Amino acid sequence: MNEIVETLRKAGHRVTLPRRAVVRVLLQAERWLSPEEILTPAREYCHSLSLVTVYRTLALLSSLDCVRRIHFENGCHGYARTELVHGHYAVCRDCHRVVEFTGSDALNPLLEQVEAQTGFLVESHMLELVGLCAACHDSE
Amino acid sequence: MNEIVETLRKAGHRVTLPRRAVVRVLLQAERWLSPEEILTPAREYCHSLSLVTVYRTLALLSSLDCVRRIHFENGCHGYARTELVHGHYAVCRDCHRVVEFTGSDALNPLLEQVEAQTGFLVESHMLELVGLCAACHDSE
DNA sequence: GTGAATGCAAACTATTTGCAAAGGT
DNA sequence: ACCTTTGCAAATAGTTTGCATTCAC
């Protein structure tokens, strides 16, 4: 049994076919997906699945910190499983691949500096890198 | 004449009353504003102003890099004039004040490290800090 | 005077909600 | 059996577009 389903169960939520379907699609993807992009393949696992349920499942998984929203300049967002983007991530503008990176501790001195500079108490931050992944970079 | 209006004119766009109204509101604000939040006060300067025109003006100003979109976890966005947030910014979750900070060159080593680590060619990045500004921090 | 800009209404996209039926435990 | 979850339809929020009128240049 996979981790996300396990988290669902432990939190007292029911493990239903529609939810399994959404989770399976998320687990297979190495990239972020829009709700629509989740719906289509997930229907192979649950024929009756509706977009509404995809939204509801994503909201639930999000509250359990199993998936994360991915943000863009234009405002539309996608979802990727947290395991994929536990900390900070880079998004390929071409294939939508999402890759986590480490080393964002390097931000800490900056955050402290900002607090000193602006008087802000920084509670959270959003750092998203956009570019081309190795594969898309090579094929351009 | 202010800088934004000047930019409009130089780019060959007409300086109309509705546009002036939107610009005036943006210039007065030290914080980000939603289109609705721009509409209401701007109507004092241009009675007939419609929300549609606010959107169109913001899109135009955005393309001229006179305003910038501000992003949030929940996806809704606001706008602030570029002068206010030329580089990176911190947003107060309480009063919505937007404060620019400097020193984000500190990111460069991280970006290079990410390129080496992931193979990505990083083209752009989004860094937004959220927290409490000094004023709101004190009054809590 | 002429083409750009505006305002209205309507379309559109993304997302959420009410409610009866279905399904997991 | 009970209560959560689902799917449909409809509502909602935010934003964009078509088109005739208005206005800056």
Side-chain angles (χ1 to χ4, degrees):
Chain A
M1 194 49 50
N2 73 63
E3 203 186 330
I4 296 182
V5 166
E6 203 50 42
T7 303
L8 269 178
R9 200 192 306 278
K10 278 182 186 159
H13 297 284
R14 294 186 179 169
V15 178
T16 63
L17 191 57
R19 284 176 181 170
R20 277 173 190 281
V22 171
V23 169
R24 283 182 72 170
V25 171
L26 284 169
L27 286 175
Q28 285 163 13
E30 291 296 314
R31 60 190 212 72
W32 65 265
L33 302 165
S34 68
E36 289 279 0
E37 284 175 328
I38 291 168
L39 178 65
T40 309
R43 278 206 157 132
E44 297 205 6
Y45 307 127
C46 175
H47 247 295
S48 68
L49 185 66
S50 75
L51 188 57
V52 181
T53 299
V54 174
Y55 274 105
R56 282 195 276 227
T57 302
L58 288 172
L60 177 62
L61 294 179
S62 197
S63 76
L64 296 172
D65 201 37
C66 293
V67 301
R68 282 188 51 188
R69 276 187 152 160
I70 309 292
H71 302 266
F72 302 94
E73 281 299 319
N74 53 35
C76 67
H77 30 235
Y79 297 81
R81 61 184 203 269
T82 299
E83 184 199 346
L84 208 59
V85 288
H86 193 259
H88 293 98
Y89 51 85
V91 183
C92 178
R93 68 162 159 83
D94 205 8
C95 74
H96 297 177
R97 189 188 308 260
V98 173
V99 177
E100 185 178 6
F101 61 84
T102 58
S104 57
D105 294 343
L107 275 178
N108 293 341
L110 176 61
L111 299 187
E112 281 166 30
Q113 185 192 320
V114 169
E115 296 197 337
Q117 191 185 126
T118 65
F120 258 66
L121 179 68
V122 177
E123 296 173 332
S124 69
H125 62 270
M126 180 157 81
L127 173 63
E128 181 185 280
L129 309 186
V130 180
L132 283 176
C133 73
C136 292
H137 182 214
D138 287 346
S139 65
E140 258 201 4
Chain B
M1 195 47 52
N2 73 64
E3 202 186 329
I4 295 183
V5 167
E6 203 49 44
T7 304
L8 269 178
R9 200 192 306 280
K10 278 183 185 158
H13 297 284
R14 294 184 179 172
V15 178
T16 63
L17 191 58
R19 283 176 181 170
R20 276 174 192 281
V22 171
V23 169
R24 283 183 72 170
V25 172
L26 284 169
L27 287 176
Q28 285 162 13
E30 291 295 314
R31 59 189 212 71
W32 64 265
L33 301 165
S34 68
E36 290 279 359
E37 284 174 328
I38 291 168
L39 178 65
T40 309
R43 277 206 157 131
E44 297 205 7
Y45 307 126
C46 176
H47 220 24
S48 67
L49 184 65
S50 75
L51 187 56
V52 182
T53 298
V54 174
Y55 274 105
R56 282 194 276 228
T57 302
L58 287 172
L60 177 62
L61 294 179
S62 196
S63 75
L64 296 173
D65 202 37
C66 293
V67 301
R68 283 189 50 189
R69 277 187 151 163
I70 309 291
H71 302 265
F72 302 94
E73 281 298 320
N74 52 36
C76 66
H77 31 236
Y79 297 81
R81 59 184 206 268
T82 299
E83 184 198 346
L84 208 58
V85 287
H86 193 260
H88 293 98
Y89 51 85
V91 184
C92 178
R93 68 164 159 81
D94 205 9
C95 74
H96 296 178
R97 189 190 308 260
V98 173
V99 176
E100 184 178 5
F101 60 84
T102 57
S104 57
D105 295 343
L107 274 179
N108 294 340
L110 176 61
L111 299 186
E112 280 167 29
Q113 184 192 320
V114 170
E115 296 197 337
Q117 189 186 128
T118 64
F120 258 67
L121 180 67
V122 177
E123 296 174 332
S124 68
H125 62 270
M126 180 157 80
L127 172 63
E128 181 184 281
L129 309 186
V130 180
L132 283 176
C133 74
C136 291
H137 182 213
D138 287 346
S139 65
E140 260 202 2

